Amino acid sequence: VGELIGIDSPLARAARVIVTRPGSWDTGKAFFLLMGPDFVVYFAAGMFDASPFAIMLSSIPQLIIIVPFVFAGALMAKGNQDEENAAAYAEIGSVVTNVGIAVMLSMGAIFNIFVEAVQQELDEENEESDWGRDPQEEEVLALMKERAEQRQMYAQISRWSLVPLWLKV
């Protein structure tokens, strides 16, 4: 799993620092949980040994993103029931959807600001520093190196030019 999320990447190190910050409420943590893909973010938070209580508390602001789209859906459903005012409901629903999109885009920009700030802090530290590193990072890197060597060996021994002619036919 560490290999899949790129545990040695600057983004993963920044995510680890953000998610494991002490305290139950942290703005950076909330934006990280808001803007990442749900399963991946919460799985990574668990992998980074973040406090489950802090993660759940920091995920409450997701309502900011969810509510406009739920409201727009309700307006569309109401428009289907009330044919006489359907155009008005559709127009208001369109405006609410655009507001929801604007909220998501602005949250994404703020998320990028938080991640960039942590990555800059990380870059200011010596690259060899343990700050933000996962305790299993060396283990994962060794496994990644071993798998790369195995793939290279497999590619060499399975070349088409090495297959006997009678098998190619």
Side-chain angles (χ1 to χ4, degrees), residues 35 64-65 68 98-108:
M35 297 315 302
I64 296 169
I65 291 178
N98 288 331
V99 167
I101 291 169
V103 167
M104 283 182 65
L105 290 174
S106 62
M107 296 256 185

Side-chain angles (χ1 to χ4, degrees), residues 106-120:
S106 62
M107 296 256 185
I110 295 169
F111 165 74
N112 286 333
I113 290 168
F114 277 107
V115 170
E116 185 65 29
V118 171
Q119 284 182 333
Q120 284 180 357

Side-chain angles (χ1 to χ4, degrees), residues 41-60:
V41 167
Y42 289 97
F43 187 84
M47 193 172 92
F48 294 149
D49 294 326
S51 163
F53 176 73
I55 296 301
M56 295 307 287
L57 186 63
S58 295
S59 66
I60 289 174

Side-chain angles (χ1 to χ4, degrees), residues 9-12 14 114-124 131:
S9 70
L11 180 60
F114 277 107
V115 170
E116 185 65 29
V118 171
Q119 284 182 333
Q120 284 180 357
E121 287 178 37
L122 207 56
D123 287 342
E124 288 173 7
W131 192 72

Side-chain angles (χ1 to χ4, degrees), residues 125-145:
E125 295 286 323
N126 184 352
E127 186 60 33
E128 299 301 317
S129 170
D130 286 343
W131 192 72
R133 289 192 191 271
D134 189 271
Q136 298 176 334
E137 187 172 327
E138 294 300 322
E139 198 177 305
V140 171
L141 292 174
L143 181 63
M144 289 170 60
K145 183 179 179 184

